[in-house]
């Protein structure tokens, strides 16, 4: 059967391998699997969230509140905006999808860094848009500016900090760049890891309210999947001016968020202490990875997230390292598919990280 | 900001009002609200599902298994097909969305009954497609054939049984119609309420395996939101030939189903006894609505679902009846927006239905 021809060029996202798969394929005991491939919060779900889910489980025959009244209010309060500035998606992923499908078609151009979140390009290709990437792997605003002047763009994606590499632009530099962008260009500021970046360095902090008041063509995206430890629940949000929000809602399917997810997100927002505690531990543990990399002579990218990218240069082949670790039950992300000979490792708990170093030692010895 | 011009004609879906809204707006005690507007299973969630959700709640920091391996296997087993015939969506809604976006664009035509599930048209308009509807409110295959010969169609939607009216075509008539349809036309058989229809009358039963083997241009959609009592969890599925499934997966965002939802659906499939018991009770209780309608002299549509449509003719205005009931905490669906002077009531539990009759008596007396 013939489908829309633009789909011929669409590839699908390759998710981090789930624990179940490693158990099935390599016969590793589920308890021994260390999953550090998807930048989940390794400290688990807030106990307050767990209690709420257990309390509500019996009500799952009822549809969710499609107005998402309470979660919108909670987010509006958190960011000092109104509900009309908030859109909620099944992960911030879904809001990326809304943005691209609302704005783009076969005549559109989308500008992004060479190595950044894969879904920007996948959603772009779904609409038949032309994808324009900087030469630099990491975000380089001079290159963004040059390409924008040359080609224009319907959407610009800035991932702050950047996944899967970990670097982060300063807020002042971002604002200076945004001054030069036409009001008809939608700029998506993907803040999936902003909680980490702004904890580590105040200069990286993007304040959504200030952003959208200063630049009404911007949308800020946040997620509950990382610092808020709800990756399994699928919920993210966008903050923008009401005209953008209203348009995105036209692409939202009814009931796009489950009842338990709505409740979990509301509960998670109440437990900021848990979140801050997790972030603090993250950067303590990250130092161990930096020391490990230095000891082994690997380059790494200074990271403003909950993961670190180790580059192997001509010492090792990242695909082999990742595959060997997988067989030992340690799941990390090989970045070969992104054109980089590196692995991305989520910063785990102290105990997990110690095991990773031990396993990595063995793997590197074997592949030497 | 300018967005894709097709969005200008897109309206958004109006969901059945949630309990929370009635509590907020009319000050009704939540315990006294009877929600019979969204065709949920009133007998609640299977206890086995509740146990599973509670058990897994603590794992919500981990992303879902994006391969959906286990649920796909369970569905493939249930329908005697393979995993390559299965696509899973956030409700069967999301699979409708995939179908329309995969197949349609501004040059496309979509054929459907005049009064049927609202999302067919909403998704169609998102792509700028022309919507063609039969004159008849209910499904009339002669009219479908006539319009198909006249205009052709890229997609035909058959809702079997039909929501929001409740009627259902016989399988033999559907097959006879499908014989006349071009292999390039995608036919979506929406079986959201098939469990009810095939329980009431074997002639209505559509067997997905046989359907897609006989007509490779068909996709069968099912949901866990109705008989399986998981409306709050958002999960549905499509069964089709692998070429169709693979294309739809190109439009699926990663992690479109939460971990708890995947687990709940697998558990729900194991508890067929619960489902069958709910369906049997549904039709016992439906008889009471039929008797009530006859006693009041209202027309009703013979229903193969878990709801009944009461037509008021020139006796009452459905919008007023629905509004008065709402203020008493009884949420039903007014069908004025669908162009029909009728209300659709989900068949509740014995106790709920008795209360509905009492409240409806009062409302009708007041509006007489």
């Amino acid at each position: 059967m013939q489908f829309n021809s633009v789909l011929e060029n669409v590839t699908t996202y390759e998710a981090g391998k789930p624990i179940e798969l490693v158990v099935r394929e390599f016969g590793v005991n589920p308890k021994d699997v260390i999953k550090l491939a998807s930048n989940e919060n390794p400290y688990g779900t807030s106990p307050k969230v767990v209690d709420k889910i257990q309390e509500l489980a019996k009500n799952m025959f009822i549809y969710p509140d499609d107005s998402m009244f309470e979660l919108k209010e909670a987010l509006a309060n958190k960011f000092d905006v109104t509900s009309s500035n908030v859109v909620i998606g099944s992960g911030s992923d879904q809001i990326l999808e809304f943005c691209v499908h609302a704005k783009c078609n076969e005549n559109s151009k989308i500008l992004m860094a060479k190595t950044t979140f894969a879904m920007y390009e996948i959603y772009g290709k779904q609409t038949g848009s032309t994808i324009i990437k900087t030469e630099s792997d990491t975000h380089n605003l001079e290159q963004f500016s040059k390409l924008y002047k040359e080609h224009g763009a319907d959407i610009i994606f800035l991932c702050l900090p950047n996944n899967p590499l970990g670097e982060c632009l300063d807020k002042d530099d971002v604002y200076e760049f945004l001054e030069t962008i036409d009001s008809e260009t939608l700029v998506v500021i993907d803040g999936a890891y902003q909680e980490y970046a702004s904890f580590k360095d105040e200069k990286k902090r993007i304040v959504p309210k200030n952003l959208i008041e200063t630049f009404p063509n911007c949308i800020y995206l946040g997620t509950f999947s990382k610092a808020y430890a709800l990756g399994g629940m699928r919920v993210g949000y966008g903050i923008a001016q009401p005209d953008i929000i209203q348009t995105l809602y036209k692409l939202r399917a009814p009931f796009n968020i489950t009842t338990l997810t709505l409740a979990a997100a509301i509960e998670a927002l109440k437990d900021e202490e848990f979140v801050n505690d997790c972030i603090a531990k993250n950067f303590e543990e990250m130092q161990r990875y930096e020391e490990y990399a230095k000891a082994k002579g690997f380059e790494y990218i200074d990271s403003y997230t909950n993961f670190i990218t180790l580059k192997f240069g001509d010492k090792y082949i990242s695909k082999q390292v990742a595959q060997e670790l997988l067989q030992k039950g340690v799941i990390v992300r090989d970045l070969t598919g992104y054109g980089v000979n590196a692995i991305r490792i989520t910063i785990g708990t102290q105990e997990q990280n110690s095991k990773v170093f031990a396993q990595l030692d063995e793997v590197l010895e074997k592949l030497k």
Side-chain angles (χ1 to χ4, degrees), chain A:
Chain A
M1 180 177 287
Q2 289 290 313
F3 290 95
N4 276 325
S5 57
V6 290
L7 292 182
E8 286 160 23
N9 297 319
V10 173
T11 49
T12 50
Y13 180 78
E14 195 190 339
K17 292 184 171 50
I19 291 172
E20 298 84 342
L21 182 136
V22 180
V23 173
R24 280 196 303 269
E25 291 196 3
F26 302 110
V28 181
N29 186 322
K31 284 180 186 161
D32 295 333
V33 177
I34 300 181
K35 181 172 186 274
L36 297 174
S38 301
N39 308 332
E40 289 129 341
N41 182 332
Y43 303 102
T45 309
S46 150
K48 290 179 185 171
V49 172
V50 176
D51 288 350
K52 180 55 79 171
I53 292 172
Q54 290 176 334
E55 177 195 330
L56 293 178
K58 66 184 185 306
N59 295 335
M60 285 315 100
F61 62 111
I62 302 282
Y63 275 95
D65 176 359
D66 194 47
S67 76
M68 304 190 270
F69 179 85
E70 286 183 67
L71 179 56
K72 275 193 194 169
E73 285 289 306
L75 285 164
N77 280 337
K78 175 179 167 70
F79 292 111
D80 189 23
V81 295
T82 71
S83 285
S84 66
N85 297 114
V86 180
V87 59
I88 295 171
S90 177
S92 48
D93 248 31
Q94 195 174 42
I95 302 168
L96 294 170
E97 185 183 5
F98 296 159
C99 289
V100 176
H101 283 264
K103 188 75 184 164
C104 296
N105 55 49
E106 292 180 46
N107 305 314
S108 304
K109 289 169 190 161
I110 302 177
L111 178 57
M112 65 186 74
K114 181 176 168 195
T115 300
T116 189
F117 185 45
M119 292 310 298
Y120 306 157
E121 180 167 355
I122 293 176
Y123 290 129
K125 286 191 172 170
Q126 286 177 1
T127 64
S129 297
T130 302
I131 309 298
I132 302 169
K133 295 180 180 181
T134 61
E135 267 183 61
S136 166
D137 278 313
T138 53
H139 283 61
N140 177 318
L141 287 174
E142 277 181 33
Q143 292 182 10
F144 270 88
S145 284
K146 187 164 168 279
L147 290 168
Y148 185 68
K149 275 176 199 145
E150 205 173 319
H151 304 286
D154 296 277
I155 297 187
I156 299 173
F157 284 107
L158 296 179
C159 194
L160 306 175
N162 187 26
N163 173 24
L165 297 180
E167 92 280 5
C168 192
L169 296 170
D170 282 1
K171 175 244 174 191
D172 285 349
D173 296 335
V174 173
Y175 270 44
E176 201 179 304
F177 171 72
L178 292 174
E179 294 283 1
T180 69
I181 302 303
D182 189 89
S183 62
E184 278 300 318
T185 298
L186 178 64
V187 182
V188 179
I189 305 288
D190 185 345
Y193 300 88
Q194 257 288 318
E195 291 86 356
Y196 295 96
S198 53
F199 179 97
K200 181 171 176 178
D201 183 351
E202 194 58 35
K203 288 202 296 291
K204 310 296 181 189
R205 185 185 296 279
I206 303 282
V207 177
K209 180 186 169 75
N210 184 267
L211 176 78
I212 66 170
E213 284 176 354
T214 316
F215 305 106
N217 58 324
C218 283
I219 181 166
Y220 175 91
L221 305 192
T223 184
F224 286 89
S225 300
K226 309 299 175 187
Y228 286 89
L230 292 179
M233 300 300 280
R234 311 303 300 126
V235 56
Y237 53 86
I239 311 283
Q241 293 297 345
D243 66 318
I244 296 177
I245 298 294
Q246 282 159 26
T247 305
L248 301 186
Y249 266 112
K250 289 189 172 192
L251 289 169
R252 185 193 70 101
F255 309 117
N256 61 325
I257 312 295
T258 79
T259 304
L260 292 178
T261 297
L262 289 170
I266 292 164
E267 220 47 42
L269 284 176
K270 292 179 191 162
D271 200 0
E272 294 284 353
E273 196 184 326
F274 168 83
V275 172
N276 291 330
D277 185 48
C278 294
I279 295 174
K281 285 189 215 152
N282 173 69
F283 286 112
E284 280 169 32
E285 287 297 311
M286 192 180 288
Q287 285 183 15
R288 297 178 65 201
Y289 279 90
E290 293 171 355
E291 283 156 21
Y292 184 88
K294 282 174 196 160
K296 298 283 174 186
F298 298 145
E299 261 189 77
Y300 64 88
I301 296 174
D302 196 20
S303 173
Y304 292 85
T305 65
N306 67 343
F307 58 83
I308 190 161
T309 297
L310 302 183
K311 293 179 169 183
F312 294 128
D314 52 8
K315 290 196 180 75
Y316 295 93
I317 297 164
S318 63
K319 196 170 180 174
Q320 288 179 356
V321 176
Q323 185 62 26
E324 291 286 337
L325 283 172
L326 192 63
Q327 289 179 27
K328 291 169 169 287
V330 178
I331 319 177
V332 302
R333 186 65 80 97
D334 170 38
L335 297 185
T336 305
Y338 286 87
V340 191
N341 184 32
I343 59 171
R344 189 192 71 184
I345 308 180
T346 306
I347 309 301
T349 61
Q350 189 175 37
E351 188 191 344
Q352 288 177 320
N353 298 331
S354 297
K355 285 185 187 166
V356 169
F357 298 137
Q359 302 276 29
L360 200 47
D361 279 345
E362 285 182 25
V363 167
L364 296 176
E365 184 60 30
K366 181 178 170 189
L367 294 176
K368 199 159 66 177

